[in-house]
Structure formats: C-alpha cells, structure tokens
Amino acid sequence: VGLIVFKNPVIKWAVTTGVTYVTGAPARIDKLEVGILKPAVRMKGFKLYNPAGFPAGTLLDIAEVSVDYDLPAILRGKLHLPLLVVRLTEAVIVRNKNGQLNVDALKVAQKPKTATAESSSPPSQRSESPAKPLAMQVDLMKLDLGKVVYKDYTKGLEPKVTAFDARIHDRTYKNITSAQQI
C-alpha cells in the first residue's frame, strides 16, 4: 500500500533531483505518474531553470511528456517506446553579458574533464572499447513546439529580445531508431 501511495512523489523527487544534478540547473515537475500495471510515464509541468551565471528565469517549459514503454524489450536491452508525446511550451535561450549561452552552461553540454594518460593515448592503444549506443525504437512520436525566445545581454543591462513561434503543432513522426533522429 505504501508503494502505491508514495511511489509517484518519491519518483518525482528522484527525477527532479537527478535532472538538477545532471544539468546543474534547478528543475521542477508539477505532476509525475508512473504506471504499475500500465507501462506508461506521464509528466506535466516540467520546468528547467537557468543555470548559475544567468538571469533568473525559465530555460525550458514543457507542458507534457508522455511515454508508453515496452518493459520486456527494455529488459532485453532495447529501448522500445510505442508512444512518445512531447509538448514544449517555451524555450528561452539566454546569452549573458560574457557572451555565454545558458544551454552551453548546462553540465550535460560540458565536455568531460577526465584527460588521463589512457584517454589521451591513441584509440588503438586504449584497453576499453567505446560504449555501444542503446538500441531504440519509437513507433510514434507526437510533437508540439511552441515559442522560442532569445535574450541577448551582451549589449547592456536590458536584453535584446527576439521571439518566434516554432509553429510545430501536432506533428507526428514514425519509426524513430536513434536519439539523433529525435
């Protein structure tokens, strides 16, 4: 009973904490539901805020992410998503007074700083092989992309703001087989 009652808040906390750790920027989720009997994840109201060194504000505002997943395929090592729905309300790209972009300041955008003798040697002399990409299949992806805002603070205290509507509404994509295609 405790698992059923507390699983979604615990998973919501873990995902929010994980996203904050991986990106280096604060994150918030309004609602997260993970199905027990139905293999599905539903997230509403996801916000990723600007990292340190940038004006306070939202970097990403995602109204909804819904994923139906194939658990047996995942257990066999293939990420199979029969349905992926992403509804991005707004993305705000900020160039700070030093000319840096908020998206480049995210930890996930940083290059690893582990330059050891092993990693600096030629690939033919390395003992480990590169990680094999996870096999994946997305049968159907539904995508909405709303507004993109660009704020440039390099010219002074008040930013030069450019905004446009991406005009991508109810776009569907089928048979996606790589993260690069997404």
Side-chain angles (χ1 to χ4, degrees):
V1 172
L3 176 65
I4 292 170
V5 172
F6 295 113
K7 83 169 168 48
N8 285 333
V10 169
I11 294 171
K12 177 179 158 183
W13 172 84
V15 170
T16 303
T17 303
V19 168
T20 298
Y21 177 77
V22 168
T23 62
R28 188 189 90 216
I29 299 171
D30 290 338
K31 185 176 182 182
L32 181 69
E33 296 175 354
V34 178
I36 291 178
L37 300 177
K38 182 181 179 194
V41 177
R42 305 288 182 250
M43 181 173 59
K44 296 203 183 257
F46 173 83
K47 290 193 180 190
L48 182 66
Y49 297 95
N50 281 326
F54 293 86
T58 304
L59 190 157
L60 288 177
D61 182 354
I62 302 175
E64 173 189 5
V65 175
S66 294
V67 178
D68 291 351
Y69 59 91
D70 178 354
L71 186 58
I74 291 171
L75 294 174
R76 288 189 309 269
K78 180 178 183 179
L79 179 61
H80 178 216
L81 307 176
L83 176 65
L84 171 62
V85 177
V86 178
R87 302 202 188 289
L88 175 74
T89 304
E90 183 176 68
V92 181
I93 310 302
V94 176
R95 183 174 301 277
N96 68 11
K97 63 184 179 186
N98 300 325
Q100 300 166 319
L101 293 175
N102 58 351
V103 291
D104 292 337
L106 296 174
K107 279 173 133 181
V108 295
Q110 306 296 313
K111 292 182 182 177
K113 297 178 183 177
T114 57
T116 63
E118 174 91 6
S119 64
S120 62
S121 63
S124 61
Q125 296 177 2
R126 292 185 192 154
S127 60
E128 58 186 59
S129 59
K132 182 180 169 186
L134 178 66
M136 71 178 297
Q137 171 71 40
V138 179
D139 296 342
L140 178 66
M141 180 171 138
K142 295 181 179 184
L143 181 66
D144 279 2
L145 296 180
K147 188 165 52 169
V148 177
V149 178
Y150 176 71
K151 295 181 179 182
D152 187 347
Y153 285 87
T154 59
K155 305 287 188 231
L157 293 176
E158 289 298 317
K160 179 181 178 192
V161 178
T162 307
F164 65 93
D165 183 356
R167 294 189 179 138
I168 297 176
H169 303 290
D170 294 322
R171 187 86 46 101
T172 59
Y173 301 91
K174 294 180 180 180
N175 198 27
I176 298 168
T177 57
S178 72
Q180 291 79 13
Q181 284 181 305
I182 291 176

